[in-house]
Amino acid sequence: MKLKTWIAAALFVVPGAALAAEPIEGNWKTASGETAAIAKCGGSFCITLKTGKHAGKRIGKLDGSGADYTGSITDPAADKTYSGSGAVSGNSLKMKGCVLKVLCKSQTWSRL
Protein backbone atom coordinates (compact mmCIF):
# COMPACT_ATOMS: atom_id res chain seq x y z
CA MET A 1 0.00 0.00 0.00
CA LYS A 2 1.39 3.38 -0.95
CA LEU A 3 1.95 5.95 1.77
CA LYS A 4 -0.67 8.37 0.37
CA THR A 5 -3.30 5.62 0.32
CA TRP A 6 -2.46 4.57 3.89
CA ILE A 7 -2.69 8.17 5.15
CA ALA A 8 -6.04 8.68 3.40
CA ALA A 9 -7.38 5.43 4.90
CA ALA A 10 -6.18 6.45 8.38
CA LEU A 11 -7.99 9.78 8.13
CA PHE A 12 -11.28 7.98 7.54
CA VAL A 13 -10.78 5.42 10.30
CA VAL A 14 -9.66 7.71 13.14
CA PRO A 15 -12.71 10.02 13.27
CA GLY A 16 -15.08 7.04 13.32
CA ALA A 17 -13.26 5.53 16.29
CA ALA A 18 -13.54 8.78 18.23
CA LEU A 19 -17.34 8.76 17.84
CA ALA A 20 -17.78 5.18 19.09
CA ALA A 21 -18.28 6.04 22.78
CA GLU A 22 -21.55 7.49 24.00
CA PRO A 23 -21.36 11.11 25.20
CA ILE A 24 -22.60 10.10 28.66
CA GLU A 25 -19.73 7.68 29.35
CA GLY A 26 -16.93 8.93 31.57
CA ASN A 27 -16.27 10.56 34.92
CA TRP A 28 -18.50 13.38 36.17
CA LYS A 29 -18.31 15.79 39.10
CA THR A 30 -21.67 15.72 40.86
CA ALA A 31 -23.42 18.74 42.35
CA SER A 32 -22.15 17.66 45.80
CA GLY A 33 -18.54 17.52 44.53
CA GLU A 34 -18.19 13.73 44.39
CA THR A 35 -17.00 11.84 41.32
CA ALA A 36 -19.45 9.53 39.54
CA ALA A 37 -18.41 7.15 36.76
CA ILE A 38 -20.87 6.32 34.01
CA ALA A 39 -20.05 3.19 32.02
CA LYS A 40 -21.81 0.56 29.93
CA CYS A 41 -23.37 -2.31 31.85
CA GLY A 42 -25.23 -4.72 29.66
CA GLY A 43 -27.34 -2.68 27.25
CA SER A 44 -27.57 0.26 29.67
CA PHE A 45 -25.30 2.77 31.39
CA CYS A 46 -24.64 2.38 35.12
CA ILE A 47 -23.73 5.29 37.40
CA THR A 48 -21.37 4.44 40.24
CA LEU A 49 -19.98 6.83 42.84
CA LYS A 50 -16.17 6.78 42.94
CA THR A 51 -15.55 9.19 45.81
CA GLY A 52 -17.26 10.34 48.99
CA LYS A 53 -19.14 8.61 51.77
CA HIS A 54 -20.98 6.30 49.34
CA ALA A 55 -18.00 5.42 47.09
CA GLY A 56 -18.58 2.17 45.22
CA LYS A 57 -22.38 2.41 45.35
CA ARG A 58 -24.32 2.21 42.10
CA ILE A 59 -26.72 5.16 42.08
CA GLY A 60 -28.37 4.84 38.70
CA LYS A 61 -29.03 3.00 35.49
CA LEU A 62 -29.95 4.81 32.29
CA ASP A 63 -30.88 3.76 28.77
CA GLY A 64 -30.57 5.86 25.65
CA SER A 65 -28.05 7.21 23.21
CA GLY A 66 -26.75 10.49 21.92
CA ALA A 67 -27.70 13.26 24.32
CA ASP A 68 -30.85 11.91 26.03
CA TYR A 69 -31.15 9.08 28.56
CA THR A 70 -33.89 7.76 30.88
CA GLY A 71 -33.97 5.24 33.70
CA SER A 72 -33.62 5.34 37.47
CA ILE A 73 -31.59 7.44 39.91
CA THR A 74 -30.94 6.58 43.57
CA ASP A 75 -30.35 9.11 46.35
CA PRO A 76 -27.51 7.31 48.17
CA ALA A 77 -28.10 9.09 51.50
CA ALA A 78 -31.81 8.19 51.69
CA ASP A 79 -31.41 4.97 49.66
CA LYS A 80 -34.53 5.86 47.65
CA THR A 81 -34.81 5.30 43.90
CA TYR A 82 -36.63 7.64 41.55
CA SER A 83 -37.45 7.71 37.85
CA GLY A 84 -34.69 9.71 36.26
CA SER A 85 -33.22 11.18 33.15
CA GLY A 86 -30.00 12.66 31.92
CA ALA A 87 -29.31 15.12 29.13
CA VAL A 88 -25.77 15.71 27.87
CA SER A 89 -24.81 19.11 26.48
CA GLY A 90 -21.09 19.45 25.83
CA ASN A 91 -19.31 18.89 29.15
CA SER A 92 -22.49 19.24 31.20
CA LEU A 93 -24.94 16.53 32.24
CA LYS A 94 -28.31 17.64 33.58
CA MET A 95 -29.62 14.89 35.85
CA LYS A 96 -33.26 14.83 36.95
CA GLY A 97 -35.01 12.57 39.44
CA CYS A 98 -38.80 12.51 39.83
CA VAL A 99 -41.46 11.05 42.12
CA LEU A 100 -44.57 10.19 40.08
CA LYS A 101 -43.10 12.30 37.24
CA VAL A 102 -44.49 15.39 39.00
CA LEU A 103 -42.17 16.25 41.88
CA CYS A 104 -38.73 16.57 40.31
CA LYS A 105 -35.29 17.78 41.34
CA SER A 106 -32.48 18.55 38.93
CA GLN A 107 -28.76 19.07 39.22
CA THR A 108 -26.01 19.64 36.70
CA TRP A 109 -22.83 17.57 36.67
CA SER A 110 -19.56 18.53 34.95
CA ARG A 111 -17.35 16.23 32.91
CA LEU A 112 -13.95 15.57 34.47
Side-chain angles (χ1 to χ4, degrees), residues 35-98:
T35 298
I38 301 179
K40 285 194 178 210
C41 62
S44 301
F45 297 93
C46 290
I47 307 167
T48 305
L49 288 176
K50 295 296 181 185
T51 62
K53 181 179 177 182
H54 301 285
K57 183 168 186 165
R58 189 171 93 183
I59 60 164
K61 189 171 184 180
L62 301 172
D63 293 304
S65 63
D68 297 311
Y69 300 83
T70 58
S72 61
I73 305 292
T74 300
D75 174 351
D79 201 30
K80 292 190 179 187
T81 302
Y82 306 95
S83 62
S85 63
V88 180
S89 177
N91 288 324
S92 294
L93 173 60
K94 184 174 182 181
M95 297 294 287
K96 183 163 66 169
C98 300

Side-chain angles (χ1 to χ4, degrees), residues 8-20:
L11 290 174
F12 286 107
V13 172
V14 172
L19 297 175

